[in-house]
Amino acid sequence: MSKLALFGGPRAVSSDYREIFAWPIVNAEMESAVLEVLRNGNMSGSNLTRQFERAFADWHGRTYGLGCNNGTASLHCAMFGLKIGPGDEIICPSITYWASCLPVYSLGGTVVFADIDPKTLCLDPDDIEARISKHTKAILVVHYCGRPADMDRITAVARKHKLAVIEDVSHAHGALYKGRLVGTFGAAAGFSLMSGKSFAIGEAGIMLTDSQEVYERAAAFGFYERSGELTLPELKAGAGLPWGGYKYRMHQMSSAVGLVQLKKYPAEMAEIDRAMNYFFDRLEGTPGIRSFRPKGEPGSTMGGWYNPMVGYVPEELGGLSVTRFCQSLLAEGFKTSPGCNSALHLHPLFNTVDVYGHGRPTRIANSDRDLRQPPGTLPVSEGLQSRVFKAPWFKRFDTKAIDEIVTAIKKSAENYRELLADDPGNPEIMGGAGLTQLVR
Ligand SMILES: *Cc1c(COP(=O)(O)O)cnc(C)c1O
């Protein structure tokens, strides 16, 4: 009989490990903090948000924090704060959540995508320079799935071409790049703090910056209640109403949860890090299997390991598709899925859609050239989907559970030949996040 559960062998994963994946971890202090906000009729106030902003900014050693109602808003604020406007371009990876770049449309700006480095899944520093034009204003860096981007080289490119760096830290709260927290490298950083992320406090986000101008512009953009604080003459002259026409204030239930979460996050991160590193250490040397962690890069860490992925190399497993490989993992009892998001540049919203009625696609509505990027232009981003599958995101260090999942993966890799016969191959679209229609 085969060893693989798919063919009637014993399942590698024997138990239901819901407990070790449960997230966020809610404690009594959080519960009473929320109740206090409710009972005080203080949901739309700002006192707790101010405390949370100060504490979150202090954690990063940054001067200003601006609590927002979500991460998308924090990135919109960062872009407006840095004066990105009509015709301006930002350079952003094509493998990311849409909110890293889409807010730029409503500022009249646009996005040019750069490819990712297959070893880090973050912006490839070698692919940035060729994407720079006279309209480029900023490099939007995403520390994807907790992995710090190569900030030394990205910062060097930015400095050489006098571009701002905006960090999207929605996946990497608390991650270190060579000993320094991510979110401290850019002129501004935006963080999602929504409940699926590693620093999870509800629908919330925060922007960090050391620049008074960036902070005040962002406040003027979407926080009418802060207009009394504006000091820059050009902002004061129009103060009172939000310049963007947006209202981005953070909900105080989230601020209250955030103040508690700041206290317990370091210990949670440490336990996740221990579990995830144990998992990938055990997989080391397994044919076809890789990790994206910054191993051998002193001082760099993965923070809370948001949405971790396992690298998959079909060439080492006789060309077996990741889809077939995952069928075996599922049969072994490991709940995973093949692939990841499709590349953003292939979606109609970056090719054909005219959002604001300019009479041309919004992507190029204010551009002096056609900067759209057809299929084939960002090969690593376009091919990544067939080279990854979802890793277990352990929140607790439980060696029995981890070992069982490791066994499921090793067993499937070692017996890959048995899986080749009925390999259906990969479907055309493998990821979610709204990327279900692609330009081909
Ligand atoms: C989640 C996420 C955002 C947006 O944050 P929201 O809080 O959902 O608005 C931005 N960028 C990335 C990379 C994300 O994953």
Side-chain angles (χ1 to χ4, degrees), residues 68-75 95-101 103 140-145 168-172 190-197 202-206 306-307 341:
C68 300
N69 58 350
N70 56 47
T72 307
S74 74
L75 291 159
I95 292 291
T96 183
Y97 185 67
W98 52 261
S100 302
C101 55
L140 198 307
V141 179
V142 183
H143 306 288
Y144 194 66
C145 295
D168 181 347
V169 197
S170 301
H171 292 187
F191 300 65
S192 171
L193 310 175
M194 60 82 77
S195 57
K197 302 291 161 75
E203 278 299 305
I206 190 165
Y306 173 75
N307 189 36
N341 294 353

Side-chain angles (χ1 to χ4, degrees), residues 68-103:
C68 300
N69 58 350
N70 56 47
T72 307
S74 74
L75 291 159
H76 204 188
C77 284
M79 291 174 194
F80 183 79
L82 285 158
K83 296 191 172 167
I84 290 164
D88 291 342
E89 298 167 13
I90 60 169
I91 294 175
C92 177
S94 187
I95 292 291
T96 183
Y97 185 67
W98 52 261
S100 302
C101 55
L102 267 183

Side-chain angles (χ1 to χ4, degrees), residues 265-276:
Y265 190 58
E268 290 175 359
M269 244 192 326
E271 182 156 358
I272 294 169
D273 196 54
R274 190 168 169 224
M276 294 304 304

Side-chain angles (χ1 to χ4, degrees), residues 31-113:
E31 290 171 358
S32 50
V34 168
L35 278 176
E36 208 174 300
V37 174
L38 261 180
R39 289 174 178 151
N40 291 342
N42 196 16
M43 288 189 276
S44 292
S46 289
N47 60 324
L48 295 171
T49 299
R50 299 292 182 147
Q51 286 176 38
F52 174 69
E53 287 171 349
R54 189 65 264 142
F56 199 91
D58 284 347
W59 173 30
H60 291 81
R62 300 213 73 162
T63 313
Y64 300 96
L66 182 62
C68 300
N69 58 350
N70 56 47
T72 307
S74 74
L75 291 159
H76 204 188
C77 284
M79 291 174 194
F80 183 79
L82 285 158
K83 296 191 172 167
I84 290 164
D88 291 342
E89 298 167 13
I90 60 169
I91 294 175
C92 177
S94 187
I95 292 291
T96 183
Y97 185 67
W98 52 261
S100 302
C101 55
L102 267 183
V104 82
Y105 273 7
S106 62
L107 301 172
T110 191
V111 55
V112 173
F113 294 105

Side-chain angles (χ1 to χ4, degrees), residues 100-372:
S100 302
C101 55
L102 267 183
V104 82
Y105 273 7
S106 62
L107 301 172
T110 191
V111 55
V112 173
F113 294 105
D115 217 341
I116 53 165
D117 176 341
K119 290 190 294 297
T120 65
L121 307 184
C122 297
L123 268 183
D124 179 353
D126 289 326
D127 196 49
I128 296 174
E129 267 186 303
R131 315 280 175 185
I132 295 173
S133 79
K134 62 178 193 290
H135 302 290
T136 310
K137 273 284 186 70
I139 303 174
L140 198 307
V141 179
V142 183
H143 306 288
Y144 194 66
C145 295
R147 180 66 156 85
D150 186 347
M151 293 314 294
D152 282 347
R153 294 184 57 213
I154 293 169
T155 307
V157 175
R159 206 170 286 145
K160 180 173 163 198
H161 295 274
K162 298 191 168 55
L163 304 175
V165 170
I166 301 174
E167 292 176 86
D168 181 347
V169 197
S170 301
H171 292 187
H173 321 75
L176 300 172
Y177 174 77
K178 298 187 179 176
R180 179 170 159 187
L181 274 172
V182 299
T184 66
F185 291 86
F191 300 65
S192 171
L193 310 175
M194 60 82 77
S195 57
K197 302 291 161 75
S198 29
F199 192 99
I201 63 171
E203 278 299 305
I206 190 165
M207 185 199 80
L208 299 183
T209 182
D210 296 329
S211 158
Q212 183 180 358
E213 185 183 31
V214 171
Y215 170 78
E216 288 199 18
R217 281 181 60 83
F221 188 59
F223 298 79
Y224 74 96
E225 71 279 10
R226 299 190 191 215
S227 37
E229 285 169 46
L230 304 176
T231 63
L232 301 178
E234 68 275 18
L235 296 175
K236 271 177 95 162
L241 301 179
W243 284 19
Y246 300 108
K247 186 184 165 204
Y248 278 167
R249 181 166 60 207
M250 187 166 166
H251 197 298
Q252 291 229 99
M253 280 197 200
S254 287
S255 318
V257 172
L259 282 164
V260 181
Q261 182 58 18
L262 277 170
K263 295 189 219 171
K264 65 190 189 59
Y265 190 58
E268 290 175 359
M269 244 192 326
E271 182 156 358
I272 294 169
D273 196 54
R274 190 168 169 224
M276 294 304 304
N277 275 314
Y278 175 84
F279 171 72
F280 280 114
D281 283 346
R282 297 292 312 272
L283 285 172
E284 201 96 334
T286 307
I289 300 300
R290 298 286 189 280
S291 90
F292 300 106
R293 60 188 171 155
K295 217 184 164 217
E297 294 171 33
S300 294
T301 69
M302 300 282 285
W305 285 80
Y306 173 75
N307 189 36
M309 292 200 279
V310 180
Y312 180 79
V313 187
E315 294 80 5
E316 294 179 4
L317 300 175
L320 185 75
S321 75
V322 71
T323 298
R324 182 62 170 157
F325 190 75
C326 285
Q327 286 174 356
S328 175
L329 298 180
L330 286 167
E332 297 295 340
F334 164 35
K335 294 187 188 68
T336 183
S337 56
C340 66
N341 294 353
S342 300
L344 286 172
H345 69 281
L346 301 180
H347 191 273
L349 190 47
F350 295 102
N351 288 278
T352 51
V353 179
D354 176 3
V355 181
Y356 296 109
H358 283 98
R360 41 200 309 223
T362 304
R363 177 95 181 271
I364 53 169
N366 298 314
S367 301
D368 58 5
R369 67 189 198 288
D370 189 350
L371 44 74
R372 290 174 294 178

